[in-house]
């Protein structure tokens, strides 16, 4: 099994694997091998290649031939070393134009939750040695997501977290639904949700700094309030509750737990200052129907979400 780590959070992946009793062998920056398999989810792994094959070759054509024996679908390179040689292998399966299209950065909020097929992927460990995986776990091979940033409209870069979550989730908020944004200022998440067609009730002690067309801005309702005082008994009925507030993990956990009895979908960021709180992560992982991931655009934080509960 091959595990990919964000370069800034290799220590977190190592610690997570120690908790799981999963031995790791480093293969390079952000790349680890384990002799054991773990079918459960990982928080700190960018991508996981469960069933890998080592392919040794002396020519590009032989590498292509051996990859075709594993899967006849187009293969995609994850750069590790010998990038140009890897490009030649990749181009034997797809045109340069198609490769560029596949590698293009995602733009904005997804239109739906349809997912592209996981693409067979390989990486070169040396000019004559590659690792191949027919079915990576992540939609972005190697876990390196990329977005064309909107540098003009959003009031903060926090919107990228919600964009990435939107591409990852299996249940997407729909136009016409109602969302709460707790600790919303300056308004990055509210900006995403309002543009996606939701009615947003935003709460913060500081005002929003939004630049939205009037037709969209009419769906945003701001209230001056402490995010941690916005609990189900004191809030509008909502289909979704979002929260990217800066707070100690314990406080955010308590807010999540206050909203668990509702049917609302939940999307919260849990931020760490200093050491990573693995106990807090374990509590999140114990929540029925919940997901916990370090998104590629996250800093020292993780994202928790739960889909809306069907009535």
């Amino acid at each position: 099994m091959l595990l990919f780590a964000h370069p800034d959070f290799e220590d977190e992946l190592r610690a997570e694997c120690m908790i799981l009793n999963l031995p790791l062998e480093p293969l390079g920056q952000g790349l680890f091998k384990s002799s054991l398999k773990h079918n459960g989810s990982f928080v700190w792994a960018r991508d996981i290649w469960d069933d890998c094959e080592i392919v040794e070759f002396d020519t590009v054509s032989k590498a292509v031939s051996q990859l075709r024996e594993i899967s006849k679908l187009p293969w995609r390179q994850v750069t590790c070393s010998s990038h140009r040689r890897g490009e030649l292998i990749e181009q034997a399966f797809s045109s340069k134009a198609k490769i560029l299209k596949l590698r293009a950065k995602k733009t904005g909020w997804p239109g739906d939750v349809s997912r592209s097929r996981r693409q067979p992927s390989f990486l070169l460990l040396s000019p004559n040695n590659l690792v191949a995986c027919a079915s990576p776990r992540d939609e972005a091979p190697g876990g390196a997501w990329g977005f064309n940033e909107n540098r003009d409209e959003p009031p903060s870069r926090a919107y990228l977290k919600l964009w990435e979550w939107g591409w990852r989730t299996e249940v997407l908020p729909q136009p016409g639904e109602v969302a709460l944004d707790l600790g919303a200022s300056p308004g990055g998440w509210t900006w995403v949700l309002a543009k996606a067609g939701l009615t947003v009730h935003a709460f913060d002690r500081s005002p929003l700094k939004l630049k939205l067309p009037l037709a969209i801005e009419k769906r945003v309702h701001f209230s001056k309030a402490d995010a941690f005082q916005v609990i189900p008994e004191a809030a509008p009925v909502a289909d979704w509750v979002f929260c990217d507030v800066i707070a100690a993990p314990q406080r955010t956990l308590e807010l999540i737990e206050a909203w668990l009895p509702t049917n609302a979908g939940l999307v919260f960021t849990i931020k760490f200052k200093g050491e990573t709180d693995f106990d807090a992560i374990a509590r999140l992982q114990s929540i029925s129907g919940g997901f916990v991931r370090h998104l590629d655009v996250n800093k020292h934080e993780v994202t928790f979400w739960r889909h809306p509960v069907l009535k």
Side-chain angles (χ1 to χ4, degrees):
M1 182 170 69
L2 210 61
L3 296 96
F4 295 78
H6 191 289
D8 294 334
F9 300 103
E10 290 187 13
D11 289 345
E12 278 70 18
L13 180 59
R14 288 192 188 96
E16 182 176 20
C17 288
M18 285 184 64
I19 292 170
L20 296 171
N21 293 316
L22 200 67
L24 289 183
E25 176 187 339
L27 294 179
Q29 185 180 38
L31 187 64
F32 298 88
K33 180 177 75 173
S34 177
S35 57
L36 301 178
K37 288 186 178 182
H38 179 72
N39 294 325
S41 61
F42 286 79
V43 174
W44 294 96
R46 276 177 129 183
D47 192 10
I48 299 168
W49 292 5
D50 293 294
D51 299 310
C52 299
E53 296 191 37
I54 303 295
V55 175
E56 296 182 357
F57 58 96
D58 50 19
T59 66
V60 167
S61 61
K62 286 185 179 179
V64 171
S65 176
Q66 291 186 70
L67 288 176
R68 282 204 174 104
E69 290 180 6
I70 300 170
S71 174
K72 291 182 170 56
L73 294 172
W75 286 79
R76 182 167 167 182
Q77 178 188 200
V78 175
T79 299
C80 182
S81 68
S82 306
H83 176 71
R84 178 55 188 154
R85 194 165 172 84
E87 278 187 331
L88 296 174
I89 296 170
E90 194 173 27
Q91 289 166 15
F93 294 93
S94 301
S95 66
K96 288 185 179 180
K98 190 169 183 179
I99 292 170
L100 287 174
K101 185 177 180 180
L102 286 169
R103 292 187 179 279
K105 293 182 177 182
K106 296 183 183 298
T107 300
W109 184 251
D112 56 45
V113 291
S114 60
R115 292 290 176 259
S116 60
R117 181 184 295 176
R118 300 298 192 265
Q119 191 173 0
S121 301
F122 71 91
L123 63 84
L124 271 74
L125 296 173
S126 70
N128 300 102
N129 189 284
L130 64 79
V131 182
C133 178
S135 184
R137 290 197 197 182
D138 204 275
E139 183 180 334
W145 291 68
F147 293 93
N148 280 320
E149 294 192 32
N150 185 327
R151 300 183 184 276
D152 300 319
E153 299 177 28
S156 71
R157 294 186 74 250
Y159 75 95
L160 289 169
K161 302 175 195 177
L162 213 51
W163 273 11
E164 183 178 337
W165 171 80
W167 282 96
R168 288 180 178 274
T169 184
E170 295 177 0
V171 180
L172 199 66
Q174 296 299 308
E177 292 184 327
V178 176
L180 309 184
D181 188 3
L182 314 184
S185 182
W189 284 24
T190 293
W191 177 83
V192 173
L193 297 167
K195 285 177 67 71
L198 282 80
T199 295
V200 185
H201 294 273
F203 300 86
D204 205 300
R205 288 179 291 188
S206 300
L208 302 181
K209 300 178 181 178
L210 293 176
K211 297 177 182 179
L212 289 169
L214 183 59
I216 298 177
E217 191 175 0
K218 286 181 178 179
R219 294 199 301 271
V220 177
H221 308 280
F222 175 75
S223 298
K224 187 173 182 179
D226 183 338
F228 296 96
Q229 301 302 315
V230 185
I231 55 177
E233 297 80 10
V237 176
D239 301 291
W240 292 87
V241 181
F242 293 85
C243 181
D244 189 36
V245 71
I246 298 173
Q250 179 63 31
R251 292 199 75 195
T252 306
L253 277 165
E254 290 171 356
L255 189 57
I256 291 171
E257 289 166 353
W259 281 96
L260 286 178
T262 72
N263 294 322
L266 308 177
V267 184
F268 281 67
T269 303
I270 295 85
K271 304 175 188 293
F272 305 115
K273 186 176 181 179
E275 294 186 2
T276 303
D277 189 339
F278 282 94
D279 289 337
I281 291 175
R283 281 177 62 183
L284 292 169
Q285 290 176 309
S286 70
I287 295 173
S288 177
F291 301 84
V292 190
R293 283 294 299 269
H294 175 266
L295 304 184
D296 202 43
V297 296
N298 279 151
K299 295 182 179 179
H300 192 194
E301 58 197 8
V302 296
T303 299
F304 165 84
W305 70 94
R306 184 194 70 177
H307 300 146
V309 178
L310 295 177
K311 300 177 183 178

